Amino acid sequence: MNQPMRERAALRLLALFLVTIAVVLLLPPVAQTLNYHNFADSRSICGVSNFANVASNAAIFLGGASGLLLLLGSAGHAGSATFSSKNEWWPYFFVFAGATLIALGSAYYHYQPNNQTLIWDRLPMAVMFMALFAAIVAERISLAAAKILTAPLILLGVASVVGWALGEGRGSGDLRFYGVVQFFPMVATPLILWLFPSRYSAQSYLVGSIAWYALAKVFELLDWQVFVATSGFVSGHTVKHVLCGLSIYWLVLMLQKRKPLAVAAV
């Protein structure tokens, strides 16, 4: 697929994203239920409330910090085997910076779960999702399009959380916009991976990262069931944090091992 066709594909994805937002806005507002904060494992250890869900964010922090160390090291500069352009470096910087801040924000939220502290969990999460989506667009569709879209996508993610938070302050919080930001990349990314080949090797690690995250979402849904099945040893949400850490670290492995396909072929 030549470059103009790739750029048109990027514009179509953007159009699909905007259409998705328009359709979602036709739906009734979605409020944040207070039941969301009722996690299975609420045990306090060493004076820390909800200790397991707080401490398990260390896995996410390690993944994000590992990525930042890679980017700031010799392997992370433009022109290396990891990045052919600085425009590919920046989305991953926001991915790993977002992941590191997710760990801090999530730990703060789980220490005292409520709608106000949840903001600091979701804000870096939206940044990470949008930045990773921009990185995948850059590598598989169009570097030029990703250069234009990276900042607007990240700002869109931030706006989705800020808009919800402001609505919560007025007693009318609405999660529809944030839902698009979180779940659209999850749907669009596998489609991009299927339709557009990457310019780099080691893409199995990207697939592995997606698989770890999908499994994490399953454990999140089975929070109470896992807690009961393990006789109160561990909850599904705690496992989710560990699997999210693995998902982020698989992105680090991908960047460590990948090479431009022309170099890999040689």
Side-chain angles (χ1 to χ4, degrees), residues 23 40 85 108 114-115 128 150 164 202-203 205 212 222 246:
V23 171
S85 166
Y108 174 58
N114 57 60
N115 283 357
M128 180 182 171
T150 297
W164 165 71
Q203 291 302 294
Y205 289 96
W212 282 124
L222 299 176
L246 285 172

Side-chain angles (χ1 to χ4, degrees), residues 7-203:
E7 291 176 2
R8 286 195 295 271
L11 291 175
R12 290 191 185 102
L13 276 173
L14 177 61
L16 178 61
F17 184 58
L18 295 175
V19 168
T20 301
I21 292 176
V23 171
V24 167
L25 291 178
L26 293 175
L27 302 174
V30 178
Q32 177 64 67
T33 64
L34 295 179
N35 289 336
Y36 179 85
H37 309 300
N38 295 332
F39 298 100
D41 192 349
S42 59
R43 293 172 294 181
S44 296
I45 299 176
C46 300
V48 178
S49 303
N50 309 302
F51 179 84
N53 284 339
V54 170
S56 56
N57 280 287
I60 298 174
F61 183 85
L62 289 173
S66 298
L68 288 176
L69 288 174
L70 174 69
L71 293 185
L72 298 175
S74 59
H77 64 80
S80 68
T82 306
F83 299 104
S84 61
S85 166
K86 195 69 173 179
N87 294 328
E88 292 181 293
W89 185 92
W90 279 108
Y92 277 107
F93 172 80
F94 284 105
V95 167
F96 295 123
T100 306
L101 292 175
I102 286 170
L104 300 177
S106 178
Y108 174 58
Y109 162 65
H110 282 287
Y111 180 72
Q112 191 176 4
N114 57 60
N115 283 357
Q116 287 69 46
T117 56
L118 182 57
I119 297 167
W120 304 108
D121 184 16
R122 285 181 169 166
L123 195 59
M125 199 178 300
V127 170
M128 180 182 171
F129 286 145
M130 290 290 95
L132 182 58
F133 188 56
I136 292 171
V137 169
E139 292 167 12
R140 291 179 174 263
I141 300 179
S142 169
L143 181 58
K147 178 182 177 181
I148 297 170
L149 294 175
T150 297
L153 284 173
I154 291 173
L155 290 174
L156 201 60
V158 171
S160 72
V161 179
V162 171
W164 165 71
L166 292 175
E168 283 292 327
R170 298 190 300 268
S172 58
D174 185 0
L175 288 171
R176 288 176 297 172
F177 191 18
Y178 175 73
V180 172
V181 166
Q182 184 177 27
F183 291 106
F184 180 84
M186 293 171 59
V187 174
T189 295
L191 186 62
I192 294 173
L193 266 59
W194 177 46
L195 292 176
F196 303 99
S198 174
R199 294 182 288 106
Y200 295 94
S201 63
Q203 291 302 294

